[in-house]
């Protein structure tokens, strides 16, 4: 399987950030700067997004987790990393945590959920697949936008719109299949033994606060942070508050060492 494209900044303990659907690793541009001061921040593009190739088959959360592990191997990062994912990135981070717990010193689950798609959500995915195939990723993202941000027209929403418009239909459709078919990770949460930051925008309409509260309860070593005035894409919607919450957790003893 081909290597994932990525961008990185800084030196120090590795902090890997996995992006949301249907964007790419550039959605972390601000966090690459903020946390690059004392971390090696690595933001890959998922299969078929940004500059990462789309494999002929096999886009699943598990194959993405393996590709992230291969990326770390390629970068000669052998020590445990802090892995963060927002929404779809969180699903991949959960798959990674299940397969490679020994490679984690901490986990950040932002605006995401551990449960699989319900039958209703699966059939909505099928409708979205048909819509994207008949239209464009940009048109699909316009439909999603009101649920992505706490208010319209912010700099973050303009940037997300730009990124979505650059994604290709094939990669987006393959990801939608992977989102629809992803495994449930709820039971696995109880086995995680590393510090986890569960973070959610108070206005998140896609993975609401209650979902994060349930995840935090299931985890042994979780810290829950609710970002005021932020919707689903909380790192773009309220970047100052998002970065402050992550920084506080990184500075805290909970994030130090397994
Ligand atoms: C995302 O932001 O990555 C998506 O909302 C994830 C999803 O649709 O489940």
């Amino acid at each position: 399987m081909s290597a994932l494209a990525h961008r990185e900044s800084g030196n120090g303990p590795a902090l890997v950030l996995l992006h949301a659907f249907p964007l790419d690793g550039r959605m972390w541009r601000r966090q690459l700067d903020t946390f690059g001061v004392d971390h090696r921040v690595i933001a890959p593009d998922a299969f078929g997004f940004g500059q990462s190739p789309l494999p002929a088959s096999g886009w699943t959360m598990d194959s993405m987790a393996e590709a992230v592990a291969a990326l770390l191997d390629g970068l000669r990062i052998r020590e445990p990393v802090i892995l963060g994912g927002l929404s779809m990135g969180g699903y991949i981070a959960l798959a990674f945590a299940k397969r490679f717990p020994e490679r984690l010193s901490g986990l950040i689950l932002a605006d995401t959920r551990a449960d699989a798609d319900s039958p209703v959500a699966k059939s909505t995915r099928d409708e979205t697949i048909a819509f994207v195939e008949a239209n464009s990723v940009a048109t699909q993202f316009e439909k999603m936008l009101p649920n992505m941000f706490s208010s319209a027209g912010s700099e973050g929403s303009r940037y997300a719109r730009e990124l979505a418009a650059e994604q290709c239909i094939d990669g987006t459709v393959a990801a939608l299949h992977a989102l629809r078919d992803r495994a449930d990770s709820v039971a696995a949460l109880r086995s995680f033994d590393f510090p986890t930051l569960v973070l959610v925008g108070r206005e998140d309409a896609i993975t609401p606060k209650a979902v994060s509260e349930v995840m935090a309860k299931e985890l042994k070593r979780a810290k829950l942070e609710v970002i005021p005035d932020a919707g689903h894409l909380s790192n773009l919607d309220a970047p100052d508050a998002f970065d402050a919450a992550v920084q506080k957790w990184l500075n805290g003893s909970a994030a130090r060492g397994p």
Side-chain angles (χ1 to χ4, degrees):
M1 201 153 271
S2 326
L4 297 178
H6 70 284
R7 73 269 315 128
E8 65 169 274
S9 75
N11 290 298
L15 169 64
V16 182
L17 297 173
L18 304 175
H19 65 83
F21 170 91
L23 306 178
D24 63 42
R26 289 175 293 169
M27 80 166 228
W28 297 112
R29 66 176 177 179
R30 152 85 181 239
Q31 287 72 35
L32 281 152
D33 283 348
T34 306
F35 301 113
V37 171
D38 50 9
H39 286 80
R40 182 177 180 186
V41 189
I42 299 160
D45 295 335
F47 295 141
F49 290 98
Q51 302 301 313
S52 283
L54 178 62
S57 64
W59 194 149
T60 64
M61 298 306 154
D62 284 342
S63 66
M64 263 304 303
E66 278 171 14
V68 171
L71 175 64
L72 294 176
D73 291 343
L75 296 172
R76 298 184 195 290
I77 298 175
R78 309 267 181 238
E79 60 281 5
V81 304
I82 299 169
L83 178 64
L86 192 145
S87 198
M88 178 179 82
Y91 307 155
I92 299 166
L94 284 166
F96 187 100
K98 287 195 275 185
R99 289 174 96 79
F100 307 109
E102 73 290 350
R103 297 195 76 161
L104 290 182
S105 61
L107 183 65
I108 303 171
L109 297 173
D111 301 282
T112 194
R113 64 193 323 142
D115 48 328
D117 270 10
S118 66
V120 172
K122 283 184 198 290
S123 78
T124 305
R125 296 280 187 209
D126 290 336
E127 286 164 24
T128 307
I129 289 167
F131 184 87
V132 171
E133 283 172 341
N135 294 276
S136 66
V137 183
T139 322
Q140 169 58 25
F141 195 66
E142 289 306 314
K143 286 174 60 174
M144 296 166 68
L145 254 182
N147 284 329
M148 290 280 188
F149 289 89
S150 57
S151 58
S154 64
E155 191 198 324
S157 70
R158 283 196 299 277
Y159 184 53
R161 191 186 250 146
E162 266 173 51
L163 295 188
E166 290 177 21
Q167 309 307 325
C168 69
I169 289 182
D170 287 355
T172 302
V173 166
L176 281 162
H177 283 98
L179 289 164
R180 181 194 63 194
D181 298 336
R182 73 184 190 281
D184 197 283
S185 297
V186 175
L189 294 176
R190 288 169 216 137
S191 69
F192 293 171
D193 202 16
F194 29 76
T196 302
L197 174 63
V198 180
L199 191 151
V200 64
R202 192 185 296 281
E203 320 293 330
D204 188 339
I206 296 181
T207 47
K209 181 162 84 67
V211 168
S212 286
E213 287 167 350
V214 170
M215 277 197 299
K217 276 209 185 90
E218 295 292 332
L219 288 155
K220 277 184 259 192
R221 300 175 66 189
K223 170 86 185 123
L224 175 68
E225 285 283 351
V226 180
I227 311 289
D229 303 321
H232 183 61
L233 295 179
S234 57
N235 74 309
L236 294 172
D237 207 12
D240 290 344
F242 180 96
D243 288 2
V246 173
Q247 190 68 63
K248 188 170 85 177
W249 179 75
L250 289 171
N251 292 345
S253 56
R256 293 208 194 101

